[in-house]
Amino acid sequence: MTTDLTGRVALVTGAGTGIGKGVAVELAACGAKVAVHYNTSDAGAKDTEARIRALGGECMLVQADVSRKSEIERMAAQVIERFGGIDILVNNAALQLNIELFEYDETAYDRLMHVNLKGESCSSRRCTASGRPISIRCTP
């Protein structure tokens, strides 16, 4: 059974790779318009975009550093301007540092918290300002 998401708008953070890419493509396959967010994975985001378009889906690419509130504001505004709102928010963007917990220095820890916690919180608050989107959190 496939869920019909025709007319819905989804913003998937971290949609250039891994789980985010898969979720973005699946949402498009269900009929949603998808905003494909990426920070540094430009090639991956373009691949996600190509996969969605190959399905006949509608999407847009949006680059932002989710550790910065101003960039989250800009990202959401771009999606709302293009698609008219955000119905589904998938908070997938996350930073995973492959070092032991006690080896983190303060800079690495702050970056991890800003992306994984502040990014999710600010994205959720900003997107609910345009309505009441369904919010899904994917964790590394």
Side-chain angles (χ1 to χ4, degrees), residues 25-39:
V25 172
E26 188 60 29
L27 288 168
C30 291
K33 298 174 186 173
V34 180
V36 175
H37 161 266
Y38 68 98
N39 184 18

Side-chain angles (χ1 to χ4, degrees), residues 59-80:
C59 66
M60 68 180 284
L61 296 180
V62 59
Q63 188 281 332
D65 178 348
V66 296
S67 72
R68 298 178 181 274
K69 185 178 178 187
S70 63
E71 293 196 27
I72 292 169
E73 294 284 342
R74 179 184 49 78
M75 171 179 67
Q78 288 174 337
V79 175
I80 292 165

